[in-house]
Amino acid sequence: MPKMPGIQLSDQLLLKSLSGDDLKKIAHQLGQTLRVLQHFQAPFYGEFDELTNKVVSYEESYDQQLLKKVQALIEASNMTRQTISNDEERNLMAIFKKYLERVLISSPVITLQDYKADNTCVTKNNDDWQVTGIFDLMEARFGHCLEDLPRQYATYIDAQQLDLANEFLLGYNLDESDLPLLDCFIIIDRLIVWEYVCRNIKSWQEESFLKWVQNYCLTDLSSLC
């Protein structure tokens, strides 16, 4: 990574030296760059298979693939103690079954799974910023275009940088009609975090997954059920 052109955004000392205007322009550029990356499309949803050295399609429809992932994460989260209640699970599955089918009308695009500022390098040209390096590609596959938005968006929310979170989505040129489906992917991304914390941090204090994840979602989840 140090040999890539530009500066690494994982450098916290560097970030503190940047102006608010610079951070806003970088957030916008991160969104724009993701949109450009997604020009790389495939005829099917799938991932790389080491045995055949090819990208292979999933055996089932992509919405069903995502539902299986959700259920596996919920089961793993509840492995030692129930952290996602039966009522919460029913509400989550109602949301997913209502909106995840929308992925089937979209063209599969390259998804990195961990697209965020920490995995990029940027360069300043005059008064503008440009993403000049992207790394940590080991989880890349062909998925839905909205899948790579949640990780960086949530990072901004955690840092209480709502202005940068909104600028990131503005750079991506998010359509308002995509908000319910984006919330589905935000929930999935936060389930990954929730399961990890439940497995590794026994002092996790959050009692309600739905209440916690609502902090990140762009719509009222109760209205989506």
Side-chain angles (χ1 to χ4, degrees), residues 2-3 24 33 81 99 120 153 156 200 202 223:
K3 293 186 179 296
K24 196 170 183 179
T33 299
R81 61 187 176 92
Y99 292 102
T120 64
Y153 183 79
Y156 284 136
N200 293 284
K202 304 307 179 185
S223 69

Side-chain angles (χ1 to χ4, degrees), residues 149-211:
L149 288 169
R151 191 64 53 88
Q152 182 56 39
Y153 183 79
T155 299
Y156 284 136
I157 296 299
D158 285 338
Q160 298 183 326
Q161 296 172 317
L162 184 58
D163 58 333
L164 299 185
N166 290 332
E167 194 64 35
F168 174 59
L169 297 184
L170 186 63
Y172 183 78
N173 194 24
L174 182 70
D175 192 293
E176 190 172 347
S177 64
D178 287 330
L179 293 184
L181 184 54
L182 175 56
D183 275 345
C184 288
F185 285 116
I186 287 175
I187 293 170
I188 294 172
D189 182 75
R190 296 298 88 188
L191 271 171
I192 294 171
V193 174
W194 182 273
E195 186 279 326
Y196 175 84
V197 173
C198 287
R199 180 163 36 91
N200 293 284
I201 304 176
K202 304 307 179 185
S203 60
W204 182 237
Q205 297 298 312
E206 300 290 344
E207 295 183 359
S208 167
F209 174 77
L210 278 178
K211 184 177 179 180

Side-chain angles (χ1 to χ4, degrees), residues 91-109:
N91 288 336
L92 287 173
M93 297 311 292
I95 293 171
F96 291 132
K97 289 178 180 178
K98 186 174 181 180
Y99 292 102
L100 277 183
E101 282 188 349
R102 295 185 183 185
V103 302
L104 303 180
I105 61 175
S106 300
S107 297
V109 301

Side-chain angles (χ1 to χ4, degrees), residues 1-11 14 18 26 117 120-125 129-135:
M1 287 84 80
K3 293 186 179 296
M4 287 184 173
I7 53 178
Q8 287 185 241
L9 289 177
S10 57
D11 187 338
L14 167 70
L18 297 177
I26 289 172
T120 64
C121 295
V122 296
T123 300
K124 191 173 186 179
N125 295 316
W129 288 87
Q130 180 181 4
V131 175
T132 48
I134 301 175
F135 44 92

